[in-house]
Amino acid sequence: MIDRRAGRVLLVDPAGRVLLLHGGDPARQEQRWWFTPGGGLTPGETVADAARRELFEETGLRIGPSDLGEPVHHEVAEFSYDRRRYRQEQDFFLVRVADWQVDTAGMEEAERLTITEHRWWSAAEIEASAEQIYPVDLAALLRRHAADAVPDGRC
C-alpha cells in the first residue's frame, strides 16, 4: 500500500456546477469514472500547492495561493491505479469561477493517457447518474459548500 497526500479542487461555476474529469486506470481500461481536478504532492509541496499545480495542469486555470482558502472537505480514499494500491489522504478546496474554458495543454503524459474528457455537473445530475463519481458524497458536498464561495470575476 502506497500512502500519499493529495490536494483536489471543487471548481464551481455561477450555476453551481462542478467541473469533473473523466478518466480511468491504464491497467483496467474498461473502468472509467469522474473525479475532481487534483492529485498527489510532489516533494516539498503543500496540499494547497499541489491543488493549485494540478488545477493548472488539468484545466489550464492558474490561481494564486490566496484563491484557495481553507479546505472544505477531507477524506481518505483507498484505490488501485496501474497495478498499485494507494491510501490517499486528500483535502478539497473550493474555487468559484465566473466562466472557464478548460485547456488541457498542461497535462502530463500520464494524465493525457488516462483523462479523456471533462464536463460541468450539477448536484442533481450527479445524484441521477449511474456513473462512478468521486468523491462519493460529491453532490451533498457541492450543495453544502458551493454557495459559500464568492465569484471572483475570473473569465
Side-chain angles (χ1 to χ4, degrees):
M1 179 82 63
I2 299 168
D3 282 315
R4 74 177 201 165
R5 291 277 288 139
R8 307 202 73 81
V9 177
L10 302 175
L11 189 63
V12 178
D13 73 3
R17 300 175 305 168
V18 65
L19 180 71
L20 296 179
L21 307 174
H22 193 230
D25 182 341
R28 297 175 291 150
Q29 291 291 325
E30 71 286 354
Q31 292 187 3
R32 312 295 290 169
W33 56 88
W34 292 92
F35 55 96
T36 61
L41 280 63
T42 60
E45 272 188 324
T46 66
V47 174
D49 291 339
R52 289 181 22 252
R53 175 183 50 76
E54 291 280 346
L55 182 65
F56 176 68
E57 287 175 8
E58 296 172 349
T59 72
L61 179 61
R62 187 180 302 276
I63 61 173
S66 63
D67 294 327
L68 284 183
E70 293 297 315
V72 297
H73 183 65
H74 176 85
E75 72 174 19
V76 176
E78 291 188 8
F79 58 92
S80 69
Y81 182 81
D82 204 18
R83 297 182 179 88
R84 292 178 290 216
R85 294 282 309 151
Y86 289 88
R87 180 189 175 278
Q88 181 165 285
E89 187 175 345
Q90 51 193 13
D91 289 309
F92 291 77
F93 298 88
L94 180 67
V95 175
R96 184 179 288 267
V97 290
D99 184 35
W100 187 250
Q101 297 299 314
V102 173
D103 177 359
T104 60
M107 281 190 185
E108 294 180 347
E109 184 61 26
E111 292 166 329
R112 288 184 193 286
L113 293 173
T114 59
I115 297 172
T116 57
E117 62 183 310
H118 61 273
R119 179 181 153 200
W120 295 92
W121 291 73
S122 70
E125 290 170 325
I126 293 168
E127 289 170 334
S129 178
E131 297 194 57
Q132 290 183 7
I133 299 174
Y134 297 102
V136 294
D137 58 348
L138 181 58
L141 184 62
L142 183 58
R143 282 196 171 99
R144 188 167 54 249
H145 292 290
D148 296 343
V150 177
D152 65 5
R154 205 183 314 264
C155 293

